[in-house]
Amino acid sequence: MSEYTTKCLIIGSGPAGYTAGIYTSRANLRPLMIEGVPGGQLMQTTEIENFPGYPEGVMGPAMMDDLRTQALRFGLETIPGEVTEVDFSKRPFKVKVNGGSHTVTADTVIISTGASARYLGLDDEQRYLGIGVSACATCDGFFYRNRVVAVVGGGDTACEEALYLSSLASKVYMIVRKDYLRASKYMQARVMQNEKIEVLFNTQTLGLFGDDNLEGAHLVRHQGTPDAENFDIKIDGFFLAIGHKPNTEVFKPFIELDEAGYVVTEGKTTHTNVPGVFAAGDVADPTYQQAISAAGMGCRAAIDAEHFLLMNV
């Protein structure tokens, strides 16, 4: 068993985590990061065109490698593994990694474990991930200009994604499991009035098809009833808009979470309800969920942690 002590422990290695690593390293806090999956969800992303500093675009893994290299340059130390237990009842905080194979004692903690997109659970989703399947219209919609796409979901997020994509794509299908939209009346009206959007009610996805790239979806209407009807649609993009699951389970005993499981932060800060514990990125942001906003929040968390240490250590 390995034991570590640090002024600042960063849990999670996405844009928020690595940015926090850059700032805390430059502040001479000698931070330690538990990386989990180095690079986070962006390791599954293909080309990124909306992160500043990459005028020609960049592949997700390459960008995350750049962020990691920059953080390591300033002295960030990393250990592999997943946090399996925390004790935030008193300072210094105690964290166990991989069931206790590593233990960390930390004066401050920055939680940047992100949020995982919810998928339907189809094998085809993984097959076409990054080459037709996406969980972020804002991130990937640009690649579907004048093409046909589908959005899965019937809530406000799905409607927002469909409306956004309608400004880019030639046609947008909305695949809705129920016979109604769960979105607000205002969002429903906007969707139904948009000539580019066709809502497929009472419809579920059975699978996706295509050779090298996504070409279409196998659907069923009124599944499990005598009126069940199987049919296909031709699409170039398949967007999941059925929510995200923040990676906060291990923190539940100590950290205040909202009803969806996101970390609650105080006002405009990154402070959690536990003094000395901060949160940054998608784990505390159900609204924007962009790499650049996560990075900015990582910067804020690092500064908050530095100020906390100046006042309390």
Side-chain angles (χ1 to χ4, degrees), residues 11-17 40-41 111-117 244-249 251 261-263 279-285 289 294:
I11 305 175
S13 58
Q41 288 195 91
I111 299 171
S112 55
T113 47
S116 303
H244 286 73
K245 184 180 186 300
N247 302 315
T248 55
E249 189 69 28
F251 308 114
Y262 289 90
V263 176
D282 289 4
V283 74
D285 175 20
Q289 297 188 330

Side-chain angles (χ1 to χ4, degrees), residues 123-143:
D123 292 339
D124 295 335
E125 288 173 314
Q126 296 305 310
R127 176 184 175 187
Y128 295 106
L129 193 63
I131 52 172
V133 171
S134 171
C136 181
T138 306
C139 309
D140 300 326
F142 177 83
F143 301 109

Side-chain angles (χ1 to χ4, degrees), residues 173 175 200 203-208 217-221 229-233 238:
Y173 291 103
I175 302 172
L200 304 175
T203 302
Q204 297 185 59
T205 306
L206 297 176
L208 306 172
H218 301 301
L219 308 178
V220 58
R221 187 180 285 120
E229 173 193 2
N230 291 65
F231 63 102
D232 294 345
I233 57 173
F238 185 79

Side-chain angles (χ1 to χ4, degrees), residues 53-238:
Y54 295 96
E56 302 301 321
V58 61
M59 300 299 285
M63 189 183 86
M64 294 315 301
D65 188 59
D66 285 346
L67 290 178
R68 186 177 191 272
T69 299
Q70 186 174 359
L72 293 177
R73 172 194 166 200
F74 291 114
L76 174 69
E77 293 187 24
T78 66
I79 58 175
E82 299 286 342
V83 171
T84 51
E85 185 180 340
V86 303
D87 183 357
F88 293 162
S89 62
K90 61 182 179 180
R91 296 181 51 245
F93 305 117
K94 304 291 185 181
V95 173
K96 291 184 178 181
V97 182
N98 293 344
S101 61
H102 305 298
T103 60
V104 182
T105 301
D107 292 320
T108 60
V109 174
I110 296 175
I111 299 171
S112 55
T113 47
S116 303
R118 296 184 188 275
Y119 289 86
L120 296 175
L122 304 172
D123 292 339
D124 295 335
E125 288 173 314
Q126 296 305 310
R127 176 184 175 187
Y128 295 106
L129 193 63
I131 52 172
V133 171
S134 171
C136 181
T138 306
C139 309
D140 300 326
F142 177 83
F143 301 109
Y144 297 91
R145 286 183 178 275
N146 301 314
R147 304 175 79 177
V148 180
V149 300
V151 175
V152 179
D156 280 312
T157 298
C159 288
E160 290 173 5
E161 301 265 274
L163 288 165
Y164 173 75
L165 289 166
S166 72
S167 68
L168 301 168
S170 59
K171 182 178 179 63
V172 179
Y173 291 103
M174 283 191 71
I175 302 172
V176 182
R177 182 169 55 89
K178 299 183 180 294
D179 61 358
Y180 60 89
L181 294 172
R182 294 182 291 103
S184 64
K185 297 294 184 183
Y186 173 73
M187 293 300 294
Q188 291 185 42
R190 289 189 61 193
V191 164
M192 301 308 291
Q193 293 167 8
N194 191 308
E195 295 181 352
K196 283 189 175 182
I197 300 175
E198 180 180 347
V199 183
L200 304 175
F201 289 110
N202 297 303
T203 302
Q204 297 185 59
T205 306
L206 297 176
L208 306 172
F209 62 89
D211 293 329
D212 296 327
N213 295 290
L214 178 65
E215 296 176 13
H218 301 301
L219 308 178
V220 58
R221 187 180 285 120
H222 300 295
Q223 187 176 32
T225 74
D227 298 324
E229 173 193 2
N230 291 65
F231 63 102
D232 294 345
I233 57 173
K234 291 185 177 182
I235 54 173
D236 303 294
F238 185 79

Side-chain angles (χ1 to χ4, degrees), residues 29-51:
L29 300 187
R30 297 183 178 179
L32 176 68
M33 172 183 283
I34 300 171
E35 283 192 297
V37 178
Q41 288 195 91
L42 287 181
M43 297 300 289
Q44 301 177 11
T45 303
T46 53
E47 191 170 9
I48 297 171
E49 294 191 323
N50 56 1
F51 196 94

